[in-house]
Amino acid sequence: MNPQTVTVGNTQIRILSTIKGLVSESEIVENEIESFGPDLVTLSVGPGEIDGTRKWDGQPYDMSGWDEIYGLSLRKIVGDDGVRLPPPSFSTAIKVSDSKKIEVLGIDMDEESFTESYTSNVSTWQLYKRGRLETKMVKNGIEGKTPEEIVTNMENSIREIAGFAKLEDDRVEALYTNLVNHLDKEKILAIIDFTNVDFLKKRIMSYKPAKSKTSVMKKEQNKATKSSKKETDKDTESSVNITNIYYNIKDSVINKSDLSNKKK
């Protein structure tokens, strides 16, 4: 999984990439919660999906064509017993966090925001192109020799359609916004789709805290008096650092946006 720790001010954000469905990720997530000791666990699913996963009754999932294509391609690599729904990385994170009284939040787009982005960005022609892509993948499968290659190739194919690329960008922005809204926490564990980790990490690195009212007033006063004195605004200083952690494991952890059970 190779988790990365991004430090923003006084908050450590441990980003753990996830490939949806891999059973091998369950133990890694549990160990990560134990060793990191987060104050908050966040998952790249919609807010309403947390409770749904927590209360899953064991009945089969309603899977889209994309889910089936992805699942079949993944099973060819890790075997039937190596793939399971709901995603083990998420269900384990919720179970372990609940047992430790750690808050769990879904930081992806909610249904309303997702629907708005989808209808605003995806045209009828793009839906047709995506249908053609799905038909092609049903016939040929998804290329890849590892789970990472499969999910990356699938994501890249979808992102070639501009509207769906913009939809994914909106998802990343939602993940970022919902993360930085909780920087009052000391430690946050964020379990994020493999294909969105780099985008999210880059967005976090650009983080700048909002300027305080006092800071703004001082700057306005300096302009009015044309003072040549330069002041350092401590409120706008931020420290963002990244630490990589490497695990010697066969499989990684990751989750797929399009593979989530969002209703479009």
Side-chain angles (χ1 to χ4, degrees), residues 98-229:
D98 286 351
S99 70
K100 294 180 174 296
K101 308 300 182 184
I102 301 172
E103 184 180 9
V104 185
L105 294 177
I107 58 172
D108 205 334
M109 303 169 76
D110 58 28
E111 287 295 332
E112 183 178 353
S113 299
F114 183 86
T115 300
E116 181 179 351
S117 178
Y118 193 95
T119 55
S120 298
N121 295 308
V122 180
S123 67
T124 301
W125 172 244
Q126 289 169 339
L127 280 173
Y128 171 75
K129 290 177 67 177
R130 177 170 159 141
R132 290 284 300 273
L133 177 61
E134 181 177 338
T135 299
K136 179 181 178 182
M137 287 187 172
V138 168
K139 181 179 180 180
N140 301 323
I142 306 171
E143 294 184 2
K145 296 181 180 180
T146 66
E148 291 83 359
E149 288 182 0
I150 286 178
V151 74
T152 298
N153 289 338
M154 185 171 184
E155 177 73 10
N156 288 343
S157 296
I158 294 173
R159 276 185 173 268
E160 288 179 1
I161 306 173
F164 288 99
K166 183 60 173 65
L167 178 63
E168 285 303 300
D169 291 342
D170 287 350
R171 286 189 64 232
V172 172
E173 189 62 23
L175 295 171
Y176 163 76
T177 299
N178 290 325
L179 262 182
V180 300
N181 280 343
H182 292 88
L183 291 181
D184 56 319
K185 304 293 186 181
E186 185 177 342
K187 292 183 177 181
I188 301 174
L189 177 62
I191 303 178
I192 307 297
D193 308 348
F194 176 72
T195 51
N196 280 332
V197 165
D198 286 343
F199 294 109
L200 178 60
K201 183 175 68 176
K202 182 178 180 180
R203 188 69 179 88
I204 293 174
M205 290 297 292
S206 70
Y207 172 77
K208 291 183 180 180
K211 299 177 182 179
S212 67
K213 291 182 179 180
T214 301
S215 170
V216 173
M217 290 176 63
K218 284 183 178 180
K219 290 190 175 182
E220 290 301 322
Q221 290 172 0
N222 287 340
K223 289 181 181 180
T225 59
K226 297 182 179 179
S227 173
S228 60
K229 182 180 179 181

Side-chain angles (χ1 to χ4, degrees), residues 8-26:
V8 183
N10 296 320
T11 302
Q12 295 181 55
I13 302 175
R14 179 72 60 84
I15 301 176
L16 200 60
S17 61
T18 177
I19 295 176
K20 182 179 179 180
L22 286 184
V23 173
S24 60
E25 295 181 346
S26 182

Side-chain angles (χ1 to χ4, degrees), residues 70-104:
Y70 169 73
L72 289 172
S73 297
L74 199 58
R75 283 183 171 87
K76 289 180 180 179
I77 295 176
V78 300
D80 291 342
D81 294 335
V83 181
R84 188 172 67 225
L85 289 178
S89 58
F90 292 159
S91 57
T92 298
I94 294 171
K95 180 180 179 180
V96 175
S97 297
D98 286 351
S99 70
K100 294 180 174 296
K101 308 300 182 184
I102 301 172
E103 184 180 9
V104 185

